[in-house]
Amino acid sequence: MSMDNEKQKDEIIALESIYNKEEFSYHKENDQYECTLKAYVTLPKDYFFTYKDSRRPEDPVESVPISHLPPLSLFLTLPLNYPSESPPKFTLVSSWLSQYVLAKLCKKLDLLWEENKGLEILFTWMAFLKDETLEFLNIETSLGINSAYTFYKMNSEATQNAGNISEFKGDKTEVNKDPKSKNMEPSIDVRKSVIRKTTHEKHPTKKRGKKQRTRKFVDQRAISDRLIGINPVQMLLDYDLKRKQTEFKRNFYMCKICFLDKLGDHCTQFVPCFHVFCKECIFTYLEIRIKEGNVKNISCPEDKCLSEATPGQVKDLVSQELFAKYDATLLSVTLDTMTDIVYCPRPHCQYPVSREPNDRMASCPACQYAFCVYCKMVYHGIEPCKFKSAEKEKLVTEYQNAPDEKKVQLEQRYGRKQLQALVENTMSEHWINTNSRHCPHCNAAIEKSDGCNKMVCWRCNTYFCWLCGTRLRADTPYVHFRSPQSKCYNMLFHGVVPEAGQDDEDDLDFPALYLDYNSDDEEFNNEDFVIEFDL
């Protein structure tokens, strides 16, 4: 075994111990090591990237904070005489740097080899790409992607124009037609012609017949892996989010509920507060809230924290059945807060129906049931809603105590005249119930204006007691008031208000005369009882 082979093997083993499988991998092909190094550039705190369409100088420059950039990928082949004589053959690939900038990095890697010729160089290259790339390219605080963003916008507009080019007057451009689809797509030649047209419009002074300047040679080892049609801004944001999630799963965190240290893969994090809890504790928390139906605004368990759990977060933490209940309850709660949504009243349907604010009718798109939005009965046109007799008292009280706005709503539903008549009738019924009695024979309502408590029905001439409603004998109605066994004993004039100016002594003397008279054998009738006074 040669000395170079030994050194290569030792370097591979050293790199395996330093970097994880995501950063370093290798395999052997034709007795040569094929290696892949991914350099995750270390970004400083508060790093950001900027972008704008360079064709629109009036537009402001947008700034977006970012914590991670896609790695620089270094693909290597170690020659048999490496490191004694030849350097590694490499290709440098990036999705956020241009080919010209990557070429500068390639030259820097060559320079590092010249400075360390004869020594193992892979670790040195890797360390430079990770820790010194930003400083070397003078992008320590921010990264500008104006050119990439402008190219993306131009390509999008060119593609859109190519899609519409067949609509131009007199256009004879052929298009590719998919036999399985009705969609028509322009051919590649058309897209190229539109791009060429855009280029000539941008430089109107150029003559098409003039020779173009020869393009400068660019290092072929530098490859800019920018996908055409992909928004570079969204690409960076998507990668940043994905990388944050990966880093979160690798670290350990203390749950703020059970106070145990757990791997991030077994934890969840609320945004934007970034409070971390283990999945077991949050599952129990979510399960209680969902079963209670309290699914709206599920906040972070941290005291006084206003962050809320997202539906996606809930879906990842609970079972499929529990999430289905959460989703249905959340939809129902959300629809209940919408004033233009009413549910179909049919028990087997219950479909949410949209309606206009001032419409009285709603039509269910699921079962085609047209109903009144107020009483939920079959739509009855301009006729006011009917109400149940049991709801009459409640409706009158609500209408009398309601503010003006609420009264207008009730009048729209039940009709103003119907409500006013209901209030008047209810008040009359209350007065009758308070100031009248019903005949025990014919149930006629009888009002007592004055006189004693012996009453005679105006309809059937039945005698009865005003106080207890007992039916009295027509020939001896007063026995009820003078019998000690009666509950109305001595209460013939109970509750009678004396007339104004009447002598108090007269009120006491005359009733006492007949009340003191008592006979068990003969009947007493005060109509035949005459007392003569000698004045």
Side-chain angles (χ1 to χ4, degrees):
M1 184 178 292
S2 66
M3 184 64 67
D4 285 335
N5 198 353
E6 283 283 351
K7 288 185 177 181
Q8 291 180 19
K9 185 175 181 180
D10 292 341
E11 186 177 22
I12 294 295
I13 295 174
L15 292 174
E16 274 189 309
S17 65
I18 296 173
Y19 303 112
N20 57 43
K21 293 182 179 180
E22 188 178 15
E23 295 175 299
F24 173 72
S25 61
Y26 75 97
H27 68 278
K28 208 166 186 179
E29 188 172 338
N30 298 326
D31 292 331
Q32 290 183 320
Y33 283 104
E34 302 283 347
C35 304
T36 300
L37 287 169
K38 289 190 176 182
Y40 292 89
V41 180
T42 305
L43 300 185
K45 188 179 181 181
D46 300 327
Y47 196 78
F48 60 94
F49 69 88
T50 60
Y51 70 94
K52 69 170 292 183
D53 191 340
S54 301
R55 301 170 300 168
R56 304 176 183 273
E58 70 279 3
D59 291 350
V61 176
E62 302 290 342
S63 300
V64 181
I66 196 171
S67 301
H68 304 278
L69 285 171
L72 301 173
S73 299
L74 192 62
F75 299 96
L76 304 131
T77 300
L78 303 184
L80 296 177
N81 58 353
Y82 164 82
S84 60
E85 298 180 18
S86 301
K89 299 177 181 179
F90 68 88
T91 301
L92 185 60
V93 181
S94 173
S95 60
W96 49 277
L97 291 175
S98 66
Q99 189 178 19
Y100 172 76
V101 175
L102 287 172
K104 293 175 63 177
L105 290 176
C106 291
K107 290 181 180 179
K108 178 62 178 178
L109 297 182
D110 291 338
L111 182 61
L112 290 174
W113 163 254
E114 293 297 330
E115 294 174 354
N116 299 273
K117 191 173 183 178
L119 302 176
E120 295 85 343
I121 196 64
L122 300 187
F123 178 79
T124 303
W125 280 358
M126 185 70 163
F128 166 76
L129 293 175
K130 286 185 66 175
D131 302 327
E132 301 180 36
T133 296
L134 299 183
E135 182 180 0
F136 177 75
L137 298 177
N138 196 25
I139 52 175
E140 299 99 325
T141 58
S142 64
L143 170 69
I145 59 168
N146 289 356
S147 59
Y149 183 72
T150 303
F151 178 78
Y152 160 74
K153 297 293 288 186
M154 291 176 62
N155 183 72
S156 299
E157 293 171 3
T159 303
Q160 183 178 3
N161 291 337
N164 298 330
I165 197 168
S166 61
E167 298 178 4
F168 295 160
K169 185 176 181 180
D171 182 33
K172 299 181 180 180
T173 305
E174 295 183 359
V175 295
N176 296 329
K177 184 175 180 181
D178 184 358
K180 296 182 180 180
S181 172
K182 295 182 180 180
N183 296 329
M184 307 288 287
E185 294 186 359
S187 64
I188 297 177
D189 293 338
V190 174
R191 296 176 187 269
K192 289 182 178 179
S193 67
V194 174
I195 295 175
R196 287 198 297 269
K197 181 180 179 181
T198 306
T199 305
H200 292 309
E201 288 177 352
K202 186 176 180 182
H203 304 285
T205 57
K206 278 188 178 181
K207 295 181 179 180
R208 299 189 63 178
K210 189 177 180 179
K211 290 183 179 180
Q212 299 294 326
R213 298 176 63 183
T214 304
R215 187 178 180 184
K216 269 189 174 183
F217 172 78
V218 180
D219 197 327
Q220 298 300 309
R221 299 173 300 176
I223 299 177
S224 181
D225 188 24
R226 291 174 176 172
L227 299 177
I228 297 177
I230 301 299
N231 188 339
V233 175
Q234 193 61 47
M235 183 271 294
L236 292 177
L237 290 176
D238 290 343
Y239 179 82
D240 185 44
L241 177 60
K242 182 180 179 180
R243 192 67 192 177
K244 285 178 179 177
Q245 294 173 347
T246 303
E247 294 293 330
F248 176 79
K249 292 179 179 180
R250 290 177 177 175
N251 297 323
F252 279 87
Y253 303 91
M254 185 185 73
C255 175
K256 294 179 178 291
I257 297 178
C258 64
F259 300 103
L260 296 176
D261 290 331
K262 296 191 178 182
L263 191 65
D265 196 29
H266 302 295
C267 296
T268 185
Q269 188 177 49
F270 285 79
V271 179
C273 64
F274 301 114
H275 292 141
V276 179
F277 306 90
C278 72
K279 291 183 178 180
E280 293 181 6
C281 293
I282 295 300
F283 169 76
T284 304
Y285 170 62
L286 294 175
E287 184 180 30
I288 294 173
R289 291 288 297 264
I290 294 172
K291 288 183 177 180
E292 291 178 348
N294 189 11
V295 298
K296 193 172 179 61
N297 303 325
I298 300 180
S299 60
C300 169
E302 182 76 13
D303 186 33
K304 297 180 181 179
C305 183
L306 301 179
S307 298
E308 296 179 4
T310 63
Q313 192 175 13
V314 176
K315 185 176 183 180
D316 292 338
L317 293 171
V318 302
S319 63
Q320 186 175 356
E321 294 77 14
L322 204 58
F323 179 76
K325 182 177 181 181
Y326 161 83
D327 196 30
T329 307
L330 182 61
L331 176 62
S332 178
V333 171
T334 304
L335 291 177
D336 288 343
T337 61
M338 301 172 65
T339 58
D340 58 341
I341 295 294
V342 62
Y343 289 96
C344 176
R346 285 183 168 177
H348 65 277
C349 183
Q350 297 292 305
Y351 194 84
V353 182
S354 176
R355 71 177 183 92
E356 294 297 327
N358 297 324
D359 285 353
R360 295 174 58 93
M361 186 197 77
S363 180
C364 178
C367 65
Q368 310 302 321
Y369 178 58
F371 59 93
C372 173
V373 298
Y374 296 118
C375 63
K376 306 299 186 296
M377 302 300 290
V378 176
Y379 183 61
H380 44 75
I382 61 173
E383 183 181 352
C385 298
K386 297 180 180 180
F387 52 85
K388 299 179 181 178
S389 58
E391 300 175 350
K392 183 170 60 175
E393 292 283 345
K394 181 180 178 181
L395 180 58
V396 169
T397 303
E398 182 181 5
Y399 181 70
Q400 288 178 322
N401 299 329
D404 294 340
E405 183 178 352
K406 181 65 175 179
K407 283 186 176 180
V408 172
Q409 295 178 359
L410 292 173
E411 289 172 355
Q412 289 177 347
R413 177 175 179 179
Y414 297 106
R416 184 176 182 181
K417 292 183 178 180
Q418 182 174 228
L419 283 174
Q420 290 179 345
L422 178 62
V423 171
E424 293 175 358
N425 293 337
T426 303
M427 293 178 65
S428 299
E429 290 177 5
H430 285 168
W431 190 93
I432 291 173
N433 293 333
T434 304
N435 299 277
S436 67
R437 299 288 188 273
H438 292 281
C439 172
H441 179 68
C442 67
N443 204 36
I446 301 172
E447 177 187 355
K448 179 176 181 290
S449 57
D450 55 15
C452 65
N453 291 323
K454 184 246 346 176
M455 303 297 296
V456 181
C457 176
W458 56 270
R459 177 186 291 173
C460 63
N461 294 323
T462 298
Y463 286 73
F464 67 95
C465 174
W466 175 263
L467 298 178
C468 65
T470 301
R471 186 171 181 175
L472 307 178
R473 291 180 58 178
D475 54 344
T476 57
Y478 292 100
V479 172
H480 176 71
F481 299 99
R482 58 188 176 83
S483 172
Q485 288 76 28
S486 173
K487 59 182 178 181
C488 298
Y489 176 64
N490 283 350
M491 299 178 67
L492 180 62
F493 290 94
H494 178 75
V496 177
V497 180
E499 296 181 2
Q502 186 177 3
D503 189 2
D504 292 341
E505 294 182 359
D506 293 340
D507 292 339
L508 295 175
D509 289 344
F510 283 98
L513 287 174
Y514 88 87
L515 286 174
D516 288 340
Y517 179 85
N518 187 12
S519 174
D520 297 334
D521 298 326
E522 65 181 42
E523 298 295 340
F524 174 81
N525 190 332
N526 65 346
E527 294 179 359
D528 300 329
F529 185 72
V530 179
I531 301 176
E532 295 183 359
F533 290 93
D534 188 8
L535 299 179

